[in-house]
């Protein structure tokens, strides 16, 4: 109580309500990879420095554009008989390996918002090769940003070996286990020479990615890659003008390149340009999924499974997966490494997310992505809010304030639909106190232990409709 030394009227405000908990952001990804530049004020001043952006325009301002396609990656084929056909194709083996800019387009197209960019190098320093050590160095920088909740490596699918690829992601999962406030969205590494036998990719994924159930609950994987409406960049280096000389033309005797075709047949040239625009770019789905995570979190809540949604700007999955084929993807009886499928359903959408499992698919506790991510949110939010009680007296008054603060927050989550139960007592519990969660020794050593239990809602993954004949004698 204040000491008053002169006559007068004095006002004292007495706090009666407990402090509140504010939920942390749940879908703030870090994109770690290669960019054209990394410049704020001086060249390379953003290299290996996490930088927050909220739009593709900001990305272009600080990090530039996509790596232009080199000669030999895009070919235009002209057939004049029996009828005129002009088609354009991209050679996946020759195309640029740097996918950051294209992936950001898919992220924002699917509902993505604020994110962090960590540029590990430019397109030329490594000679067009992705370096796993640089990606790991960028990951180390991501650990310094508390706001980050999702980790992605758009360029990693083009690492030279599957060993490097899964080593990078294992390191990312280890960071999630250590910090307990983020989640990894993975792709499945694609062997260049396996043709359409994608089962080899799945077997490789499960054999190469190591980790216990406690580790793998912090990650989810999506398969297959998706064809998108994103346009290839084939500008001349350092220019915004299309590099027509880099586009090979076949089937037309008077022109071997697109710029030569322009001078020979203007009509053919513009049809060829249109065909190039219509090329469907093949991209890994992780960046689009990060956008869907953000979209679902904003519209429904982090407890809603990011599934049964169509991926915007996607035209089709790389492989059409049947229900029978997905059974082995969704349930891994050996190690529980579930893989969420991107499927096409006629009349519903060309690329539907048809799965919501973590890589701990055999765990009853951590099988589902929304359960893991909801716990991440509550744990981090509660941790931030309880920091104000560090060095407060470890007595009943403090325990009551902490318990009331956490209980009020969880009641809000229960009312929002995140927790099960007809009453809040069924939805969660908060325990703290001497003889309840602490011993006298704990108090002597300065420990205040709080136990929180939550009955988080789970997705209806299997909806079973049972039909039978109704007998006439039944009422």
């Amino acid at each position: 109580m204040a000491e008053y030394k002169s006559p007068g009227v004095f006002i004292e405000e007495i706090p009666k309500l407990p402090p509140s908990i504010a939920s942390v952001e749940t879908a703030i990804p870090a994109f770690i990879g290669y960019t054209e530049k990394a410049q704020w004020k001086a060249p390379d001043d953003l290299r290996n420095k996490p930088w927050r952006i909220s739009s593709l325009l900001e990305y272009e301002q600080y990090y530039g554009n996509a790596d232009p396609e080199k000669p030999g990656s895009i070919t235009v084929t002209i057939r004049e008989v029996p009828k005129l056909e002009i088609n354009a194709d991209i050679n996946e083996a020759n195309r640029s390996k740097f996918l950051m800019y294209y992936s950001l387009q898919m992220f924002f197209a699917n509902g993505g918002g604020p994110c962090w960019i960590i540029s590990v190098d430019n397109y030329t320093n490594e000679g067009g090769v992705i370096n796993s050590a640089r990606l790991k160095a960028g990951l180390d920088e991501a650990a310094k940003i508390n706001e980050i909740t999702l980790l992605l490596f758009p360029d990693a699918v083009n690492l030279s070996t599957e060993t490097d690829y899964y080593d990078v992601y294992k390191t990312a999962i280890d960071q999630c286990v250590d910090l307990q406030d983020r989640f990894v969205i993975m792709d499945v590494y694609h062997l260049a020479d396996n043709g359409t036998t994608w089962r080899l990719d799945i077997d490789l994924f499960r054999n190469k990615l190591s980790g216990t159930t406690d580790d793998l609950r912090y990650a989810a994987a999506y398969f297959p890659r998706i064809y998108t409406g994103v346009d290839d960049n084939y500008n001349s280096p350092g220019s915004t003008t299309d590099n027509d000389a880099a586009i090979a033309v076949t089937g037309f005797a008077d022109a071997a390149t697109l710029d030569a075709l322009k001078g020979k047949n203007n009509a053919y040239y513009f049809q060829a340009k249109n065909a190039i625009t219509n090329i469907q770019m093949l991209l890994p789905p992780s960046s689009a999924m990060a956008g869907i995570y953000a979209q679902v979190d904003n519209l429904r809540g982090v407890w809603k499974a990011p599934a049964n949604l169509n991926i915007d700007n996607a035209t089709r999955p790389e492989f059409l997966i049947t229900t029978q084929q997905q059974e082995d993807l969704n349930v891994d009886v050996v190690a529980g490494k579930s893989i969420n499928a991107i499927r096409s359903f006629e009349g519903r959408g060309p690329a539907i997310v048809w799965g919501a499992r973590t890589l701990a698919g055999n765990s009853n506790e951590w099988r589902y992505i929304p359960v893991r991510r909801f716990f991440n949110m509550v744990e981090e939010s509660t941790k931030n809010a309880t920091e104000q009680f560090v060095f407060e007296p470890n007595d009943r008054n403090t325990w009551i304030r902490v318990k009331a603060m956490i209980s009020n927050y969880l009641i809000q989550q229960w009312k929002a639909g995140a927790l099960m139960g007809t009453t809040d007592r069924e939805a969660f519990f908060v325990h703290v106190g001497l003889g309840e969660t602490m011993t006298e020794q704990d108090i002597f050593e300065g420990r205040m232990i709080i136990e929180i239990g939550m009955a988080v809602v789970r997705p209806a993954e299997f909806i079973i409709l049972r039909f039978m004949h109704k007998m006439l004698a039944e009422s």
Side-chain angles (χ1 to χ4, degrees):
M1 180 179 294
E3 183 179 353
Y4 306 111
K5 296 183 178 180
S6 63
V9 178
F10 303 92
I11 297 175
E12 292 184 356
E13 293 184 349
I14 302 174
K16 289 294 185 181
L17 297 176
S20 61
I21 298 178
S23 293
V24 297
E25 294 287 347
T26 55
I28 307 294
F31 292 89
I32 304 169
Y34 290 74
T35 60
E36 181 182 31
K37 63 179 183 178
Q39 178 174 340
W40 177 36
K41 295 181 178 179
D44 286 338
D45 60 355
L46 293 182
R47 192 73 67 201
N48 275 317
K49 178 181 178 181
W51 192 257
R52 194 178 194 269
I53 66 168
S54 57
S55 68
L56 194 62
L57 184 62
E58 282 187 74
Y59 177 90
E60 293 172 349
Q61 176 184 350
Y62 299 117
Y63 296 101
N65 212 306
D67 182 33
E69 296 298 338
K70 307 300 187 294
S73 60
I74 300 176
T75 303
V76 172
T77 302
I78 300 176
R79 294 185 180 88
E80 297 181 287
V81 293
K83 64 177 182 177
L84 178 64
E85 290 185 5
I86 299 180
N87 298 308
D89 295 297
I90 189 164
N91 187 326
E92 291 293 333
N94 293 338
R95 66 174 292 195
S96 172
K97 293 178 170 51
F98 303 110
L99 304 178
M100 174 83 86
Y101 180 74
Y102 301 134
S103 298
L104 262 293
Q105 292 184 58
M106 293 300 294
F107 170 69
F108 288 116
N110 283 277
C115 61
W116 290 81
I117 306 297
I118 302 176
S119 173
V120 300
D121 205 349
N122 60 39
Y123 301 142
T124 58
N125 281 356
E126 297 288 344
V129 177
I130 310 298
N131 187 306
S132 62
R134 291 192 181 275
L135 295 180
K136 288 183 181 180
L139 179 65
D140 291 339
E141 295 300 314
K144 302 175 183 178
I145 306 300
N146 190 53
E147 187 188 30
I148 292 172
T149 59
L150 299 171
L151 296 174
L152 300 94
F153 301 89
D155 302 326
V157 291
N158 289 318
L159 282 164
S160 57
T161 68
E162 65 275 10
T163 301
D164 287 344
Y165 178 80
Y166 290 113
D167 182 52
V168 166
Y169 272 104
K170 179 61 171 67
T171 306
I173 293 172
D174 290 342
Q175 183 180 113
C176 294
V177 174
D178 181 45
L179 300 179
Q180 297 182 314
D181 64 354
R182 53 199 63 192
F183 191 80
V184 178
I185 306 178
M186 292 186 62
D187 303 297
V188 175
Y189 189 85
H190 183 70
L191 293 174
D193 58 350
N194 74 351
T196 57
T197 46
W198 52 264
R199 286 295 323 179
L200 296 177
D201 296 335
I202 304 304
D203 294 340
L204 188 71
F205 174 90
R206 288 171 172 163
N207 291 331
K208 288 289 185 179
L209 182 65
S210 61
T212 65
T213 298
D214 287 342
D215 296 342
L216 298 177
R217 59 182 171 168
Y218 285 97
Y222 292 87
F223 176 84
R225 295 181 294 182
I226 50 176
Y227 285 98
T228 71
V230 175
D231 291 335
D232 286 284
N233 174 26
Y234 66 100
N235 293 341
S236 300
S239 169
T240 58
T241 305
D242 292 342
N243 186 12
D244 291 343
I247 310 299
V249 174
T250 63
F252 191 76
D254 296 333
T257 62
L258 195 59
D259 62 337
L261 180 65
K262 184 176 183 180
K264 297 294 183 179
N265 191 316
N266 209 41
Y268 284 10
Y269 170 78
F270 284 107
Q271 290 185 57
K273 295 280 281 188
N274 184 63
I276 293 172
T277 302
N278 291 332
I279 292 177
Q280 298 176 356
M281 180 181 290
L282 187 61
L283 290 174
S286 57
S287 297
M289 288 309 308
I292 287 179
Y293 281 25
Q295 177 191 149
V296 171
D297 290 2
N298 292 331
L299 295 179
R300 296 286 299 277
V302 68
W303 57 87
K304 163 68 175 69
N308 202 2
L309 294 170
N310 188 63
I311 299 177
D312 290 338
N313 204 25
T315 57
R316 58 188 172 93
E318 182 180 13
F319 306 113
L320 295 179
I321 297 173
T322 66
T323 299
Q324 289 74 23
Q325 290 171 329
Q326 191 183 356
E327 289 179 355
D328 291 335
L329 295 177
N330 198 52
V331 178
D332 174 19
V333 296
V334 177
K337 295 174 184 175
S338 299
I339 298 173
N340 301 305
I342 310 295
R343 296 183 59 185
S344 179
F345 294 101
E346 188 174 353
R348 292 193 53 207
I352 302 288
V353 184
W354 206 241
R357 290 195 172 203
T358 69
L359 292 180
N362 291 345
S363 167
N364 286 329
E365 290 184 306
W366 307 112
R367 178 175 300 167
Y368 295 111
I369 294 169
V371 174
R372 175 67 270 171
R373 296 184 64 235
F374 179 77
F375 265 82
N376 281 7
M377 182 193 75
V378 173
E379 289 169 2
E380 186 70 7
S381 301
T382 306
K383 174 188 172 184
N384 293 343
T386 51
E387 284 182 348
Q388 62 185 296
F389 294 98
V390 176
F391 299 116
E392 287 291 306
N394 197 1
D395 61 6
R396 187 173 300 278
N397 290 332
T398 302
W399 302 338
I400 291 174
R401 292 177 64 200
V402 170
K403 183 173 182 177
M405 176 186 72
I406 298 173
S407 296
N408 287 344
Y409 175 66
L410 293 180
I411 286 174
Q412 294 174 11
Q413 303 304 314
W414 169 62
K415 289 180 178 179
L419 302 175
M420 296 188 290
T422 56
T423 66
D424 59 276
R425 292 175 63 88
E426 295 177 350
F428 67 88
F429 66 77
V430 181
H431 296 158
V432 58
L434 179 63
E436 190 173 5
T437 62
M438 296 175 286
T439 64
E440 289 187 2
Q441 186 67 29
D442 290 323
I443 295 176
F444 291 152
E445 295 178 355
R447 290 192 290 266
M448 181 169 65
I449 301 172
I450 308 163
E451 293 181 355
I452 304 169
M454 298 179 292
V456 184
V457 294
R458 294 168 181 251
E461 185 179 19
F462 309 105
I463 297 178
I464 301 169
L465 305 178
R466 289 179 174 168
F467 293 88
M468 62 198 73
H469 288 282
K470 182 182 182 300
M471 308 305 291
L472 293 177
E474 295 179 1
S475 58

